Amino acid sequence: MTTPTPQILPLGLDGILVRFADTLSDAANRAALAFRQELDDDRPKGVDETATSLTSVLVRFRPDQIRRAGLEDDLRHRLERQDWYQAPLPHGRTRWRIPAVFGGDHGPQLDEVADLVGVRPERAVEDLASAELRVLALGFAPGQPYLGFLDEAWNIPRQTEVTPEVPRGAVVVAVRQVIPFANAAPTGWRQIGRTAFRCYSRDGEPPIPLKAGDSVAFDPVPAKDFARLEQTGPLGGAARESIE
């Protein structure tokens, strides 16, 4: 596979987009996460904010403090320092274990997803629980994570019809990714479970607990435990530990 070449693209009057690929891959996501860490550790003068999408880094700057051309030269120099597609993941990450109920009323499409993957529902839950996923990016709603990557068998398409609404905490899957929903919302992904973990909580410390690059694994729990987990606070019984 040919390694893509990073692109430096204008984005509005005060933004630059550093794009590592046009399509999602493990290498492109790693590159985006690592390059953002580089900028946050050694921020160029005049840069106000950085943010990552699945394969890109947004750099917002103050035009009154730095010229676009000068910042682009700085970014280009940083890109040439190393092969960002082989860079390690950012430091300061957290490993999360998040309880979730799968199947039944909390996961009404588990059987359908298992059929698409080609396994029994029980095996689908085992596969998901054994996967150590990475927060690829946050988006769609405050704090909502895109988690990847599941095995290739989980490269299932989105639905052709949109589900009008799934509840907060719904665990949905498609295209080798998993999303626990931050809020009730419509979706084209299939719901296989639900968690009491809150991706965003106004009163949480911090309000958005996950960050891009964090590791996430799901712990299957019985449906009878869901109400109790909802009462344990915004983390919904999740455990966390520092990776590095």
Side-chain angles (χ1 to χ4, degrees):
M1 180 181 295
T2 303
T3 301
T5 301
Q7 297 175 286
I8 298 176
L9 305 168
L11 192 64
L13 297 176
D14 62 351
I16 294 175
L17 192 70
V18 181
R19 179 184 291 164
F20 289 92
D22 292 328
T23 57
L24 176 60
S25 69
D26 178 72
N29 180 255
R30 282 174 170 266
L33 295 175
F35 192 69
R36 182 192 183 185
Q37 185 73 66
E38 154 76 12
L39 294 175
D40 286 349
D41 287 346
D42 181 22
R43 181 166 293 191
K45 179 183 177 182
V47 169
D48 266 351
E49 178 187 14
T50 66
T52 54
S53 65
L54 292 172
T55 62
S56 302
V57 181
L58 167 66
V59 183
R60 286 190 59 250
F61 66 96
R62 287 182 169 271
D64 61 334
Q65 294 187 11
I66 186 170
R67 295 176 62 85
R68 179 184 295 274
L71 180 54
E72 288 181 350
D73 286 344
D74 182 292
L75 295 173
R76 192 172 293 108
H77 176 70
R78 292 169 189 258
L79 288 170
E80 292 170 352
R81 286 182 190 171
Q82 64 172 297
D83 180 358
W84 291 98
Y85 299 94
Q86 300 294 325
L89 290 169
H91 56 75
R93 297 183 301 130
T94 300
R95 178 177 288 113
W96 295 85
R97 297 204 67 88
I98 298 178
V101 177
F102 293 97
D105 292 340
H106 294 299
Q109 293 172 290
L110 174 62
D111 288 357
E112 180 184 349
V113 166
D115 187 58
L116 289 168
V117 174
V119 297
R120 295 183 60 82
E122 296 81 3
R123 176 59 186 274
V125 174
E126 291 174 3
D127 287 350
L128 187 63
S130 65
E132 184 161 324
L133 304 165
R134 182 168 75 244
V135 180
L136 305 175
L138 302 175
F140 182 75
Q144 183 160 299
Y146 289 75
L147 309 177
F149 293 95
L150 294 170
D151 289 340
E152 186 62 36
W154 287 77
N155 192 20
I156 61 176
R158 298 169 180 83
Q159 302 176 117
T160 55
E161 301 288 337
V162 172
T163 302
E165 183 177 279
V166 294
R168 181 182 70 189
V171 178
V172 303
V173 294
V175 292
R176 298 182 63 194
Q177 295 174 61
V178 187
I179 297 175
F181 261 58
N183 297 297
T187 183
W189 295 30
R190 294 173 174 85
Q191 183 183 351
I192 63 170
R194 191 177 179 195
T195 177
F197 181 85
R198 298 183 188 179
C199 301
Y200 170 79
S201 174
R202 184 180 60 183
D203 300 325
E205 287 293 339
I208 296 176
L210 299 175
K211 59 182 181 295
D214 279 358
S215 172
V216 174
F218 287 101
D219 282 333
V221 296
K224 64 181 178 62
D225 288 352
F226 186 80
R228 174 182 60 80
L229 291 169
E230 281 194 303
Q231 302 303 313
T232 61
L235 296 186
R240 54 185 169 181
E241 63 173 320
S242 176
I243 295 178
E244 52 189 5

